[in-house]
Amino acid sequence: MSVSILKILNLPGWNYKMSYEGLSILAPTKRDATQLAQSYGEALSETALKINGKVRIKWRGCKQPIEFFGWMASQQPPTASETAERILQTGGTVFCSQLHLPDELLYRMVAAADNERPISIVRQDNRKQIIVNQPMIEMLQTPPEIATQRVMTKFWLPEDLAELEQRLHNDHQFTWTYSAGLNEHAWAILTTQFEAFEVEGIWYRQGTCLSTPQLVPIPPGVFESA
């Protein structure tokens, strides 16, 4: 384990212990836990590989710890019991259609599963929505199998989508009120916090809906032209 991580773990409010499963870290708060995971994900994966176990980060009252496994650092495929589906057993509150999940996406899936607001993550290269949590599924009124395969160009006005992608390129994080499709039968005004982030050379956007959708008429021809 790196010197930098050890310095953090020896700060007041932090605790850690070794067991037959691996290393268990107790962070003072969820914010501290997620910052550690974001900043030292690669090192934590390497630690899991060295100890032939896993590294688990928990905080007081946490429902689902953040976990790192050795296969994340070794580039070896995970065993069946270590797939993202097994790692993220959160009572069916987060769904993903992408098979390869780097550390950053795993962390974001855990955070989304633990969030009461609707969250989705879209790949920017093919504009496919690959991750949604349960609140987003309920808001979209769409089965997760469909929502996580959806190409989002169909659910945006072309000019709004162009503006969104330009703003993501310039700002990387902002809040915006706009209109978009919830599904093929509903269009709404939404206020969403957007964030652009890069993982292994691929850009993604995460949207966290901050408002209750206000239904409006579907723009003429919007779904037929997609």
Side-chain angles (χ1 to χ4, degrees):
M1 192 157 51
S2 73
V3 175
S4 299
I5 296 176
L6 282 173
K7 285 182 178 179
I8 293 172
L9 298 186
N10 285 315
L11 290 173
W14 289 83
N15 201 355
Y16 65 97
K17 64 179 180 179
M18 292 291 298
S19 71
Y20 69 93
E21 287 187 331
L23 174 65
S24 180
I25 297 171
L26 180 63
T29 67
K30 180 180 178 180
R31 181 182 180 87
D32 292 318
T34 53
Q35 286 182 343
L36 182 70
Q38 283 184 300
S39 301
Y40 297 100
E42 185 175 346
L44 293 168
S45 298
E46 290 172 355
T47 298
L49 180 63
K50 289 176 183 176
I51 64 177
N52 194 29
K54 64 182 177 181
V55 176
R56 172 180 288 180
I57 309 174
K58 300 186 290 185
W59 55 94
R60 191 178 303 279
C62 91
K63 300 174 183 176
Q64 179 67 33
I66 302 171
E67 294 182 324
F68 293 90
F69 293 81
W71 59 261
M72 296 176 181
S74 69
Q75 303 302 313
Q76 295 297 315
T79 64
S81 64
E82 293 176 333
T83 60
E85 184 178 2
R86 177 66 179 270
I87 295 168
L88 299 168
Q89 286 296 331
T90 54
T93 56
V94 66
F95 308 89
C96 178
S97 61
Q98 183 162 297
L99 295 178
H100 174 59
L101 286 172
D103 293 355
E104 172 75 357
L105 285 181
L106 282 169
Y107 151 71
R108 286 178 180 270
M109 282 185 71
V110 172
D114 202 35
N115 199 312
E116 295 179 356
R117 295 191 180 277
I119 291 178
S120 69
I121 295 178
V122 175
R123 276 184 66 136
Q124 287 294 87
D125 57 352
N126 59 16
R127 297 188 177 96
K128 180 189 281 188
Q129 182 170 258
I130 61 165
I131 293 172
V132 291
N133 65 355
Q134 183 64 34
M136 178 61 76
I137 287 297
E138 293 170 3
M139 188 182 87
L140 299 179
Q141 297 182 12
T142 303
E145 297 82 6
I146 296 174
T148 55
Q149 296 289 342
R150 178 175 280 175
V151 177
M152 298 308 293
T153 50
K154 182 177 181 180
F155 298 89
W156 282 81
L157 295 173
E159 59 270 26
D160 286 348
L161 182 59
E163 181 177 348
L164 169 69
E165 295 184 345
Q166 184 61 48
R167 292 186 66 175
L168 286 168
H169 178 75
N170 293 337
D171 301 331
H172 284 196
Q173 189 168 356
F174 58 91
T175 299
W176 190 28
T177 298
Y178 60 100
S179 72
L182 301 179
N183 53 56
E184 287 84 352
H185 309 290
W187 202 268
I189 297 172
L190 303 163
T191 298
T192 300
Q193 182 185 63
F194 289 103
E195 178 187 358
F197 63 95
E198 184 181 10
V199 182
E200 296 185 353
I202 297 174
W203 280 92
Y204 300 83
R205 74 170 184 259
Q206 177 170 314
T208 303
C209 191
L210 305 179
S211 66
T212 300
Q214 301 176 44
L215 294 178
V216 295
I218 299 175
V222 65
F223 289 125
E224 290 82 352
S225 61

